[in-house]
Amino acid sequence: MNVLITSAASATAQIIIGALGGMHTLRLTDLPGKTSGDIIKNELGHESETDELVTGIDAIVNIGYQGQSGSNTHLMDYHTRRMYNLLQAASDAGVKRYINISTLKLFQDHEENLVVTEKWRSDPPAEDIELLVAHMAEYVCKEFARDRLIQVVNLRLGWPFIGDSLAGSDDTAAISHGMIGESITAVLTTEDLIQWQDIHVQSPVDHQRFITKTAARLLPELAGRLSS
Amino acid sequence: MKILILGGNGMLGPWAVKAMQDRHDILLTDINDPYPEYTGKFQKLSVDDVDGVVKAAKGMDMIVNLSVLRPHRQIAFDVNTMGNYAMMVAAREHRIKRVITTGPHFQMVGQQYEEWDFDLNPDMPPAPGTRLYAHTKALGQEICRVFSERHGIQVITLLYYNMKHSWNLGGPEAPVVYHEDMVPFSTAWQDCGTAVRAAVEVSEERLASKNEAFFIFPDLPHRKHDNEKTRRVLGWRPRYQVERLWNKDSRNPESHLTEAF
């Protein structure tokens, strides 16, 4: 499968690249100034460069949370206008699936004892620009799915990301690097998805905060590693 | 009341100013120069200039955002989305309690609704779809909603569609056509302006929540959209009913008894 990964220089993208690299043909992109090696620099504007970027691509993995840094207005612009440009180009090119990597932090203000699932409305804080723009990126994606221009999986990941270390006792929403890679691998190939699909994923930890039954149901190869 | 108007030199601005200028202290801003006939306070300002909007909003009681840009991909986002972000940052910074934003009805009533349903009302969840103008305005409205929920800022969203000159019911973009299939969401420019005044002046007690939207059009018989909330809550009474667009009564009767028998 030909997979485009955005914000490729970000830490989140690097985890994903490491997981997908041996299985898929990856095309990596990021904004100019953040590119090196195999990463294609692209502004995600509305001109032909973005069309060329998505040509021949089967699926896009978009880093919708903490893929970029900079001023508040830059982040707002990136996660609204540039997402729109990318989705429009992808729709026009017939890209089959768009995986938006978002965050379960959009529910962080809900009490921990609440059984938060994909059926709950997120609650982005206006004062946290990274979460606000993650929410806005989700909004843009959802409208493309609503218009049936492209299938979108909105994959909300837990936090913090943990590598080789164990989750701390307070990290009740933690997700391992391995779980991130496996979940995206599964989302790329699973077939039983509706046009817009939220999926919540975190690792099984003590006092696990978020329910992951939707992920277990839709991504069977992941089910055994999720909390039942 | 001291009111900052953003994007005041567009199509709607002069009508909103006309409705409010004798009742409120207005600072008009726009990226373009004002109309020569305008004699009030003016500051050149682009609505997507967040720092500039924050500065202009100092000391204001209210912000009214009338800015709009439709066809250009970059500028549509700058104006329609970033403009509302700038307004809400300014409102938060200066503890401004009410903002009014405007846009097209399809930032809420996208094709999903409009091609299927009737009695469409402004309390439905927005479903704008991907049409650039609707989408960018809807993003702006969503930013307002998030800020409103977090900071208690009263947001009033006024939604329009088809604006008409009162004298011939034509619009600025197309000649008038009588007795054909009209847009069932048409409003005279004067009434578009008085709706802004109504939103500025409505008491907080009449508003059910901190984030309220209203459809601005007169009583039309189609029942495609519903303006009941606008009349009930804002107390807005349109002067023009655009009746000649939906009624086939002769405009030049032969005598005063035409259609009497």
Side-chain angles (χ1 to χ4, degrees):
Chain A
M1 189 178 285
N2 294 316
V3 180
L4 173 68
I5 300 178
T6 67
S7 298
S10 68
T12 303
Q14 289 298 313
I15 296 169
I16 296 167
I17 292 164
L20 302 185
M23 293 180 283
H24 300 285
T25 303
L26 303 185
R27 189 178 298 170
L28 311 178
T29 190
D30 210 324
L31 295 179
K34 300 188 175 185
T35 55
S36 61
D38 295 333
I39 300 176
I40 301 165
K41 60 182 174 186
N42 190 295
E43 295 272 11
L44 299 182
H46 59 269
E47 307 293 349
S48 60
E49 290 83 358
T50 306
D51 298 334
E52 292 162 12
L53 185 69
V54 299
T55 299
I57 290 295
D58 301 302
I60 295 173
V61 178
N62 175 64
I63 309 302
Y65 173 63
Q66 289 189 331
Q68 297 293 323
S69 58
S71 69
N72 291 1
T73 52
H74 166 71
L75 291 174
M76 181 63 73
D77 177 67
Y78 183 89
H79 292 82
T80 55
R81 182 179 65 86
R82 295 179 206 248
M83 291 301 96
Y84 183 93
N85 291 338
L86 178 61
L87 280 154
Q88 189 68 63
S91 302
D92 292 344
V95 175
K96 297 278 189 305
R97 186 166 293 176
Y98 188 97
I99 303 168
N100 184 57
I101 304 299
S102 187
T103 177
L104 284 165
K105 279 188 180 177
L106 291 169
F107 300 96
Q108 69 181 359
D109 287 348
H110 289 61
E111 294 172 30
E112 288 223 23
N113 65 328
L114 297 175
V115 185
V116 174
T117 70
E118 290 83 353
K119 293 186 175 69
W120 289 57
R121 184 176 188 162
S122 62
D123 186 22
E127 61 276 15
D128 184 329
I129 188 67
E130 289 187 328
L131 288 177
L132 175 60
V133 299
H135 171 69
M136 299 308 294
E138 288 190 2
Y139 196 112
V140 176
C141 292
K142 181 179 280 188
E143 294 310 307
F144 276 81
R146 189 194 303 278
D147 278 356
R148 301 197 165 273
L149 296 174
I150 193 169
Q151 185 185 58
V152 179
V153 178
N154 187 45
L155 190 62
R156 295 193 182 114
L157 303 178
W159 83 95
F161 295 174
I162 48 177
D164 297 329
S165 60
L166 295 173
S169 58
D170 292 336
D171 296 331
T172 55
I175 185 167
S176 69
H177 290 189
M179 180 66 77
I180 293 170
E182 289 176 61
S183 60
I184 294 166
T185 300
V187 166
L188 279 170
T189 55
T190 191
E191 294 182 355
D192 296 329
L193 296 177
I194 56 177
Q195 201 70 18
W196 165 262
Q197 181 68 62
D198 287 312
I199 301 179
H200 292 179
V201 180
Q202 71 155 102
S203 293
V205 296
D206 290 342
H207 309 293
Q208 179 174 326
R209 182 164 182 172
F210 294 99
I211 306 298
T212 52
K213 286 189 174 176
T214 298
R217 177 171 56 85
L218 295 174
L219 312 172
E221 57 269 59
L222 204 63
R225 297 175 55 91
L226 294 167
S227 177
S228 57
Chain B
M1 196 130 29
K2 297 185 76 171
I3 300 173
L4 172 66
I5 296 183
L6 305 172
N9 293 339
M11 303 293 286
L12 176 56
W15 300 105
V17 169
K18 175 183 171 66
M20 296 193 294
Q21 63 188 358
D22 294 334
R23 303 158 70 108
H24 301 285
D25 181 3
I26 292 171
L27 171 58
L28 193 71
T29 69
D30 200 292
I31 195 170
N32 296 313
D33 291 329
Y35 291 97
E37 296 85 351
Y38 177 73
T39 56
K41 287 183 283 186
F42 175 76
Q43 179 184 330
K44 201 162 212 173
L45 178 64
S46 179
V47 69
D48 68 337
D49 174 0
V50 177
D51 293 339
V53 172
V54 170
K55 282 181 187 169
K58 185 177 182 182
M60 294 291 166
D61 300 307
M62 201 175 295
I63 308 174
V64 176
N65 185 4
L66 306 177
S67 63
V68 58
L69 196 291
R70 302 181 200 186
H72 188 279
R73 185 85 67 88
Q74 166 92 46
I75 306 175
F77 275 93
D78 291 347
V79 172
N80 302 337
T81 303
M82 199 68 79
N84 267 5
Y85 176 67
M87 174 175 69
M88 297 312 290
V89 170
R92 179 180 65 187
E93 181 81 12
H94 297 301
R95 301 182 185 276
I96 292 171
K97 292 180 178 172
R98 181 178 298 184
V99 302
I100 294 163
T101 182
T102 57
H105 84 304
F106 46 57
Q107 72 186 57
M108 176 176 290
V109 186
Q111 285 183 310
Q112 171 178 307
Y113 286 127
E114 184 140 31
E115 293 179 357
W116 291 79
D117 299 310
F118 292 89
D119 290 328
L120 299 165
N121 69 77
D123 290 327
M124 304 182 305
T130 55
R131 185 175 172 180
L132 181 65
Y133 183 29
H135 188 85
T136 53
K137 276 288 189 178
L139 290 172
Q141 187 178 359
E142 179 65 5
I143 290 168
C144 289
R145 183 191 71 78
V146 172
F147 272 78
S148 173
E149 286 198 359
R150 282 289 166 151
H151 299 292
I153 301 165
Q154 178 72 60
V155 174
I156 297 178
T157 303
L158 303 180
L159 298 175
Y160 300 89
Y161 187 177
N162 199 259
M163 281 93 149
K164 299 291 188 184
H165 295 307
S166 60
W167 57 88
N168 71 351
L169 301 184
E173 296 159 342
V176 62
V177 179
Y178 296 111
H179 306 164
E180 288 194 7
D181 190 19
M182 68 173 283
V183 175
F185 198 126
S186 298
T187 316
W189 283 108
Q190 290 92 330
D191 291 331
C192 296
T194 59
V196 177
R197 184 180 71 207
V200 164
E201 297 181 356
V202 66
S203 65
E204 189 175 348
E205 295 73 32
R206 296 183 66 83
L207 299 166
S209 75
K210 289 290 186 183
N211 182 29
E212 292 289 317
F214 298 92
F215 286 169
I216 307 302
F217 66 94
D219 293 342
L220 299 176
H222 307 68
R223 292 193 61 186
K224 185 70 177 170
H225 307 90
D226 187 342
N227 70 350
E228 183 275 336
K229 178 184 173 188
T230 307
R231 300 177 69 95
R232 172 172 48 83
V233 176
L234 294 187
W236 177 71
R237 296 289 179 269
R239 178 178 169 191
Y240 300 95
Q241 302 300 321
V242 298
E243 191 167 345
R244 279 189 292 166
L245 294 176
W246 50 269
N247 191 316
K248 289 192 282 189
D249 285 352
S250 171
R251 284 173 289 122
N252 297 297
E254 293 176 4
S255 77
H256 81 284
L257 292 177
T258 296
E259 295 193 6
F261 298 101

